[in-house]
Each structure stands twice: as structure tokens, then as C-alpha cells.
């Protein structure tokens, strides 16, 4: 029980850097001596000291004979920073409690073995489920070489994301819209289809104080994105346009001259979303927020690429057989093929209801 109390604190402080450590995991560390916390730290950003180093530096001589609680197995390899295992041994820590092992092949139990070889007692598996949820993005990216994909949409009580005349601002309440910008802030990239880009000309930026703008990804099979689009001209964030191999070369060249990155994803009529996701992962884009229309939403679901869903349901009834819904496309003909959600939850945000769930594909959570 005591281990869980201190690990819960390590998990709490790890979230201070949510959305800032990619492609590294979120990690918190707490140094405990004689039943009291004497130091703590968390990883801030890739390439900077890890959580253990911050905590050990803060503890100083108090680390000798103390217990270190850390949300992920300490690293044992040289990467952008030296291995934490060496620092833990040098500090005189007598016991290490880790929430989960590190699935990164460069670590994968080696950190535990080195600590044990140095005479340090090691325990792994305290609040494991919470730690896996904390690092659901990192766990998928490092084990599957794919980004963690969150699909988000706002709809009326009858499932409409716009009226039959195309009006959509605003279905959700102010509090929901603020939370949506939080989702942009913590994700590496935001993805829409070219249809949304043509209709709304969005900037896809984060309207939060000290917010981080995600990479903008436009799925645009034939490179139809106008050179005057905000995502091309505003220079607020990196923009990637995904096209097929058949997209006109002159349009691709024009986009490139304006600083847009092009990803060629498949030779068919439509962008191969599986290829696109792999390409994004190779660029160390570990998380993607899908915030497009019903067509791209269905395409991502049909391809089995969505891990998590946020649906904001407003207390409005719009109606209209021609009004768009959050998921369009061909749809699933059989109920047995429908996307079922697990770990389903509901909470009130302002006047709206936020429904959250994971797809069956999200086996790493």
C-alpha cells in the first residue's frame, strides 16, 4: 500500500510534461527516505535530463539508502542523455520501484538487471495499469512503430456535426472547445481530410496560453490544397500533405516551394492511411489527433487505425436527413463489424457530455 501511495505521486508529476516529451515517454520519479518524500522530478523534454536525474539531483546526499519510485524502468543505454542506471547506483539508492518495464528494445529489462547486479532491490509492477495508460502513446509507438491515434468530434444529441446548410460553429460549448484545444496541445499532429481544408480553411493551431501547435497533416490524394490555405501560408506550424503517387507533379512542386512537406502514400485513387501512419511514426510523430469530417473519420476507423475516441455531445437536436454526422463513408453493413469501445466513460463538460472510449485495436493500453 505504501508503494502505491508514492507511485501515485510519481504518476501525478509525470503528467506535468504531457505533450512535451515526444518521442520519449512521460516519466515521474520520487525519492523516499524513512517514509517521507525528500525529492521528486519529471522528464521535461526529449534530449534533457530524465526524471530520475532531476529527483537525484534534488535529493543530494539524502538519496543514499533511499527508495526511488519511477513510473518506467530506468534506462540503461546512451541515447540523447547518459543512462539513468549509472546515476542511481552512484547516488547510493538501495531500492527501486518501477511501475512498468520499458518495452524499448534498448532497455527491455536490462535496466532492472544492472540495478540488481549492483545490489539494489528492484520491484516492478506497482500501479501498472495506470502507468500504461499514462504512456499509451509511447507504448504503441515503440512497440508497433505507429502513432497513437485519437479521433475527436463534436455532435448534437442526434449525431449531427453540422446542419443541412453546413453550419457547425458552434455545436459544442465553450468548455468543450477549450478541451479540444488541450487535445491539440498534447498531440504531436492533427489530421484532417482535404474536404475539411477546402470547406473551412482552418489553421489547426492551439488557442491556449503557452500552447503547442501540432504538425498539420492534410490527407489530399490529388494535391488539391490551395496555395492560399492557412496551413500553407500562416507559418504557425509544420504542414504535411499526404498524396498518392498519381498526384499532379506541378501541384506537389508548388506546395513544396512554399515549405509544405509531401508524403507519398500509395499508388491507388486514395491515400493509403496505413502507409501514412507508418511514415509519420518514422518522423517521430508519436500521436495523431483526427479532427476532420465524417469521411476521413470512417476511413480511419475502417482501417483499424484509431485507438481512442473523444465525442462531445451537445444538448441540441438538429435533424435533417442531409445533415452530416460524425462518421460517414460507406459505414459498416453488419453490426458484427461495428467498432466497439472498451473502458467507456462519460463526464460532464459545461453543458455538453464527453464520451470517451478505446477501440478493440488499442491492446497496448
Amino acid at each position: 500500500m505504501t508503494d502505491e501511495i508514492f507511485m501515485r505521486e510519481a504518476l501525478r508529476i509525470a503528467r506535468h510534461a504531457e505533450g512535451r516529451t515526444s518521442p520519449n515517454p512521460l516519466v515521474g520519479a520520487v525519492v523516499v527516505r524513512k517514509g517521507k518524500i525528500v525529492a521528486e522530478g519529471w522528464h521535461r523534454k526529449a534530449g534533457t535530463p530524465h526524471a530520475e536525474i532531476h529527483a537525484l539531483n534534488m535529493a543530494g546526499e539524502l538519496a543514499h539508502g533511499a527508495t526511488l519510485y519511477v513510473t518506467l524502468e530506468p534506462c540503461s543505454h546512451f541515447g540523447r542523455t547518459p543512462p539513468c542506471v549509472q546515476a542511481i547506483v552512484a547516488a547510493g539508492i538501495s531500492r527501486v520501484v518501477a511501475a512498468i518495464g520499458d518495452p524499448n528494445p534498448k532497455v527491455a529489462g536490462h535496466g532492472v538487471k544492472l540495478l540488481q547486479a549492483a545490489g539494489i532491490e528492484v520491484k516492478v509492477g506497482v500501479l501498472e495499469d495506470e502507468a500504461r495508460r499514462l504512456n499509451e502513446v509511447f507504448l504503441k509507438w515503440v512497440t508497433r512503430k505507429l502513432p497513437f491515434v485519437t479521433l475527436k468530434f463534436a455532435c448534437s444529441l442526434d449525431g449531427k456535426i453540422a446542419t443541412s446548410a453546413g453550419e457547425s460553429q458552434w455545436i459544442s460549448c465553450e468548455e468543450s472547445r477549450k478541451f479540444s484545444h488541450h487535445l491539440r496541445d498534447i498531440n504531436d499532429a492533427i489530421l484532417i481530410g482535404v474536404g475539411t481544408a477546402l470547406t473551412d480553411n482552418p489553421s489547426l493551431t492551439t488557442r491556449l496560453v503557452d500552447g503547442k501547435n501540432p504538425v498539420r497533416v492534410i490527407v489530399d490524394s490529388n494535391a488539391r490544397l490551395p496555395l492560399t490555405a492557412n496551413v500553407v501560408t500562416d507559418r504557425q506550424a509544420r504542414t504535411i500533405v499526404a498524396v498518392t503517387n498519381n498526384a499532379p507533379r506541378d501541384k506537389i512542386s508548388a506546395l513544396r516551394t512554399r515549405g509544405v512537406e509531401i508524403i507519398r502514400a500509395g499508388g491507388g485513387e486514395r491515400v493509403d492511411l496505413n502507409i501514412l501512419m507508418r511514415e509519420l511514426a518514422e518522423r517521430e510523430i508519436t500521436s495523431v489527433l483526427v479532427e476532420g469530417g465524417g469521411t476521413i473519420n470512417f476511413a480511419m476507423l475502417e482501417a483499424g487505425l484509431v485507438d481512442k475516441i473523444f465525442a462531445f455531445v451537445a444538448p441540441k437536436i438538429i435533424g435533417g436527413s442531409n445533415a452530416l454526422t460524425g462518421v460517414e463513408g460507406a459505414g459498416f453493413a453488419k453490426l458484427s463489424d461495428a467498432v466497439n469501445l472498451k473502458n467507456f466513460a462519460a463526464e460532464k463538460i459545461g453543458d455538453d457530455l464527453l464520451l470517451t472510449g478505446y477501440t478493440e485495436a488499442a491492446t497496448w493500453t
Side-chain angles (χ1 to χ4, degrees):
M1 188 65 178
T2 300
D3 284 344
E4 292 185 357
I5 291 173
F6 294 125
M7 186 61 73
R8 203 169 298 282
E9 172 63 8
L11 290 166
R12 185 189 72 82
I13 63 175
R15 287 197 178 277
H16 288 334
E18 190 173 22
R20 300 298 184 271
T21 63
S22 180
N24 287 357
L26 290 166
V27 183
V30 174
V31 178
V32 175
R33 185 182 178 89
K34 296 181 179 179
K36 294 183 178 180
I37 295 176
V38 297
E40 57 185 33
W42 60 92
H43 183 43
R44 266 77 163 175
K45 183 180 179 181
T48 67
H50 290 184
E52 299 94 319
I53 305 304
H54 285 297
L56 293 174
N57 287 342
M58 181 179 179
E61 294 183 359
L62 293 176
H64 190 79
T67 297
L68 174 68
Y69 292 85
V70 61
T71 56
L72 186 71
E73 176 186 359
C75 66
S76 54
H77 66 292
F78 281 90
R80 297 175 181 174
T81 58
C84 291
V85 167
Q86 291 182 1
I88 293 170
V89 174
I93 290 289
S94 64
R95 181 171 181 254
V96 172
V97 180
I100 56 175
D102 190 340
N104 187 337
K106 295 178 180 179
V107 184
H110 191 55
V112 169
K113 291 178 181 178
L114 288 177
L115 291 171
Q116 291 172 332
I120 297 175
E121 178 188 347
V122 180
K123 180 180 180 180
V124 180
V126 176
L127 298 184
E128 180 177 358
D129 289 344
E130 290 90 335
R132 291 182 65 81
R133 190 64 53 83
L134 171 74
N135 273 310
E136 57 193 14
V137 169
F138 172 75
L139 292 175
K140 182 184 179 183
W141 178 74
V142 79
T143 60
R144 295 285 302 277
K145 308 302 181 186
L146 290 169
F148 187 92
V149 177
T150 299
L151 190 156
K152 169 260 167 183
F153 61 90
C155 64
S156 63
L157 191 60
D158 54 338
K160 308 298 185 180
I161 63 172
T163 68
S164 57
E167 185 180 348
S168 62
Q169 297 182 352
W170 297 103
I171 289 177
S172 59
C173 67
E174 183 178 350
E175 292 86 348
S176 292
R177 297 197 297 274
K178 185 176 180 179
F179 188 85
S180 295
H181 283 286
H182 166 70
L183 292 178
R184 292 184 181 185
D185 177 59
I186 64 174
N187 277 274
D188 290 347
I190 181 170
L191 181 148
I192 64 170
V194 69
T196 298
L198 294 173
T199 301
D200 299 336
N201 191 24
S203 294
L204 305 179
T205 52
T206 302
R207 280 79 153 181
L208 296 176
V209 177
D210 298 324
K212 171 181 64 66
N213 290 331
V215 176
R216 287 90 61 99
V217 180
I218 316 299
V219 178
D220 184 9
S221 300
N222 295 307
R224 293 189 293 147
L225 185 69
L227 300 181
T228 55
N230 287 331
V231 293
V232 175
T233 63
D234 65 12
R235 306 294 181 182
Q236 294 298 305
R238 177 180 164 199
T239 297
I240 296 173
V241 172
V243 301
T244 68
N245 294 334
N246 300 319
R249 293 184 179 182
D250 58 333
K251 292 185 177 181
I252 290 176
S253 178
L255 287 168
R256 280 180 170 153
T257 60
R258 285 159 176 79
V260 173
E261 182 178 347
I262 302 295
I263 291 180
R264 294 180 181 273
E269 294 183 0
R270 297 180 182 276
V271 166
D272 187 318
L273 296 172
N274 285 282
I275 293 176
L276 174 58
M277 291 300 113
R278 290 196 296 270
E279 290 287 338
L280 294 177
E282 287 183 5
R283 289 162 172 76
E284 295 191 340
I285 292 176
T286 65
S287 57
V288 174
L289 175 66
V290 179
E291 204 175 281
T295 300
I296 192 67
N297 290 351
F298 176 72
M300 291 292 291
L301 287 166
E302 185 181 36
L305 294 170
V306 176
D307 301 290
K308 192 174 186 177
I309 292 178
F310 284 97
F312 297 89
V313 181
K316 297 179 175 72
I317 295 177
I318 295 175
S321 58
N322 294 325
L324 298 176
T325 62
V327 181
E328 296 278 340
F332 297 105
K334 299 179 180 179
L335 283 176
S336 58
D337 294 332
V339 176
N340 293 307
L341 301 183
K342 58 184 180 180
N343 299 325
F344 195 67
E347 63 179 297
K348 193 89 182 302
I349 293 191
D351 293 330
D352 298 340
L353 189 64
L354 173 58
L355 305 178
T356 309
Y358 292 84
T359 67
E360 293 295 333
T363 56
W364 34 85
T365 59

